[in-house]
Amino acid sequence: MAKTGTTTQGLRAAIERSGYYPTLVAEAVQAAVGGEPVVSYLVHQETTFDANEVRRHVTVLVLTGTRFIVSHTDEQAADATSPSPYATTSTESVKLGRISSVVLSRVVANPESYTPGQLPREVVLTIGWGAVARLDLEPASCGDPNCDADHGYTGSSTADDLSLRVSEAGDGPESVRETLAFAQALSEATAATSAR
């Protein structure tokens, strides 16, 4: 479930409501935020199925006046390296000026009857700041069907630091609204930073 808001206390409450190792997650996020006021946040919990196991994951996104903070927490079952289950938490702090793209993809049912303000069925928020890029390569060709020369490769590079999918069916309509609100706050903050 996604939760968004604008205060440090609200952020802590949203992490608590997620119910996913709240003390661990809150401590990691608070350490990354430090003393900066929280402008906006989004807490999103996902459950995935991996072979015979159910795994949970929580992503916490925080916007301050100067930074974008990402926290991921995953749980792992006992394995050869650990006799007991464990969780891994990571945080990354990115200066707003480093954010190169905020992409919000919307999936709308029955687009012919779309009305302004209608809630999308699904949204995918993708944020890029240059830490991770995806390369898609394919053999280049010249257009001649009889040519067998090697024309090298062609492709594209896509910033893919963070991608978060939220759907009305899986997460609820409020989660979709909250993701839209956070995406707007982040877009406005990055635009204001680049205008300085």
Side-chain angles (χ1 to χ4, degrees):
M1 175 188 304
K3 293 291 174 201
T4 188
T6 59
T7 67
T8 303
Q9 294 82 13
L11 171 59
R12 176 63 189 232
I15 291 170
E16 293 281 342
R17 278 191 306 275
S18 80
Y20 183 79
Y21 305 121
T23 305
L24 173 66
V25 173
E27 180 180 21
V29 170
Q30 185 55 48
V33 171
E36 275 194 273
V38 172
V39 174
S40 186
Y41 62 83
L42 181 66
V43 177
H44 183 258
Q45 183 177 330
E46 297 175 81
T47 302
T48 57
F49 300 94
D50 182 17
N52 296 340
E53 297 177 6
V54 175
R55 293 193 184 193
R56 296 180 301 162
H57 174 89
V58 69
T59 301
V60 180
L61 308 179
V62 180
L63 176 62
T64 71
T66 62
R67 297 178 298 145
F68 167 64
I69 297 162
V70 181
S71 174
H72 295 286
T73 303
D74 291 289
E75 65 182 356
Q76 306 293 326
D79 59 23
T81 63
S82 176
S84 60
Y86 60 98
T88 305
T89 300
S90 64
T91 58
E92 183 172 1
S93 177
V94 181
K95 291 181 182 179
L96 287 178
R98 289 207 44 222
I99 294 179
S100 56
S101 66
V102 178
V103 180
L104 185 67
S105 300
R106 302 168 190 242
V107 177
V108 178
N110 303 313
E112 68 282 353
S113 59
Y114 177 81
T115 57
Q118 180 179 332
L119 195 62
R121 181 174 72 190
E122 175 182 308
V123 294
V124 178
L125 175 60
T126 305
I127 303 164
W129 57 89
V132 178
R134 182 180 66 237
L135 285 175
D136 293 320
L137 295 175
E138 61 185 42
S141 64
C142 66
D144 179 357
N146 297 321
C147 180
D148 60 358
D150 183 356
H151 295 284
Y153 288 88
T154 184
S156 62
S157 173
T158 308
D160 199 14
D161 294 303
L162 174 78
S163 190
L164 188 70
R165 178 184 172 270
V166 180
S167 71
E168 185 178 24
D171 303 296
E174 191 59 28
S175 294
V176 173
R177 276 188 205 86
E178 291 164 350
T179 304
L180 291 169
F182 184 83
Q184 181 174 348
L186 183 59
S187 290
E188 289 171 358
T190 57
T193 300
S194 65
R196 291 182 196 157

